Amino acid sequence: MTKGIRITKDGLKRRLIKFSADLVLLILMFGLCFTILQPLLNKISISFMEEQDLYDQTVVSLPRHFTFDNYEVALKLMDYTKSFANTFSLATGVAVLQVMSTLLVGYGFARYQFPLKNFWFFMVILMIVIPPQTYASSLLLNFRYFDIFGLFKALLGKPLNLTGSVAPVLLLAGTCTGLKCGLYIYLFRQYFRNVPKDIEEAAYIDGCGTLKTLVEIMLPDAMPIATSCFLFSFVWQWTDNYLTNLLLKSALLLPTRLSALSTSLIGYLDTRPSFTYIAAINATGTLLVLIPVILLYLVAQKKFVKSLSASAVKM
């Protein structure tokens, strides 16, 4: 009898400990989700408010005077249709180039030996660690006076000015020096390092070359990590302010139009708008930039989570 009571007490104690741990985890998760979502919810609320609601202290979250005028102004000032099409084309092209180039480099680091291999991989790690803003001026000058071993200067009399076009961004993506390329190389390298070499040896015996083995044998199994890298690259390029403001200031892209939204609003209105109204239009423009990314996540949620879990297991 005593033993049964003791077992019951021990079971109750374990249940209380588990319940307490779950409760603490629930509170932490709720706090984390609220911290992340609260600024977004504020922007959504402000985007539907008329200007008089912005100054009304009794209006907190729900607008008293519901309106779509803020969206109409933001859509017009951002030239949203053209900006969306240009941004989508650029983000897709950059994502494809980054996945292709970093896949080849990551596979090379994982499978082949070459001179100074450890040194070059250390350079890859530096690409992850060093913020790109530290070499912004050098990057701008390189593309402002772009030349390859003096060939353009010899043929044309002067270097090329690539700033203001998408060429610099595509060149960076295709040469594994774009945004987050170091991270993608590292992910591909870690994945291919854990793939048994017997698979490649069997492909070589069957007559496959190196490139054919990579494309037809290794790549299908690497699609989860490739999908993750593509989505990460697309989203980062979609919302990028660094390269677009540095190299594509005059381009009709969503990040550049969002950065110039305040200036455009001042020129759009007959009177100088208040700081609060400018903030409301900026919040609306930010939502217009984020909505496609949120929709992309909702559509690709299952595949994206599956790719991350599969990558984590194999890494």
Side-chain angles (χ1 to χ4, degrees), residues 84 87-88 91 233-240 254-255 289-290 292-293:
F84 177 89
T87 306
F88 181 83
S233 176
F234 183 91
V235 172
W236 269 318
Q237 182 59 47
W238 183 273
T239 58
D240 171 56
L254 288 178
V289 174
L290 293 179
V293 177

Side-chain angles (χ1 to χ4, degrees), residues 259-279:
S259 300
L261 191 56
S262 300
T263 306
S264 302
L265 180 62
I266 294 174
Y268 175 75
L269 299 177
D270 296 331
T271 59
R272 184 175 180 85
S274 64
F275 176 80
T276 307
Y277 183 66
I278 293 176

Side-chain angles (χ1 to χ4, degrees), residues 231 295-307:
L231 291 175
L295 293 177
L296 175 64
Y297 172 75
L298 293 177
V299 171
Q301 179 183 8
K302 291 184 178 179
K303 293 184 179 180
F304 181 60
V305 173
K306 182 179 179 181
S307 66

Side-chain angles (χ1 to χ4, degrees), residues 71-89:
Y71 284 93
E72 293 180 4
V73 172
L75 286 170
K76 184 175 182 180
L77 294 180
M78 295 175 68
D79 199 353
Y80 191 79
T81 303
K82 293 182 180 179
S83 299
F84 177 89
N86 294 339
T87 306
F88 181 83
S89 301

Side-chain angles (χ1 to χ4, degrees), residues 90 94 98 131-140 143 162-181 233 236-251 253 255-256 259:
L90 180 62
V94 168
Q98 283 190 331
Q133 289 78 7
T134 57
Y135 50 85
S137 58
S138 300
L139 192 65
L140 178 62
F143 287 113
L162 298 182
T163 58
S165 67
V166 298
V169 180
L170 296 179
L171 283 173
L172 290 173
T175 55
C176 293
T177 53
L179 287 173
K180 312 297 181 180
C181 277
S233 176
W236 269 318
Q237 182 59 47
W238 183 273
T239 58
D240 171 56
N241 278 322
Y242 167 64
L243 288 179
T244 51
N245 287 329
L246 183 68
L247 302 171
L248 301 170
K249 279 187 176 181
S250 59
L253 300 171
T256 56
S259 300

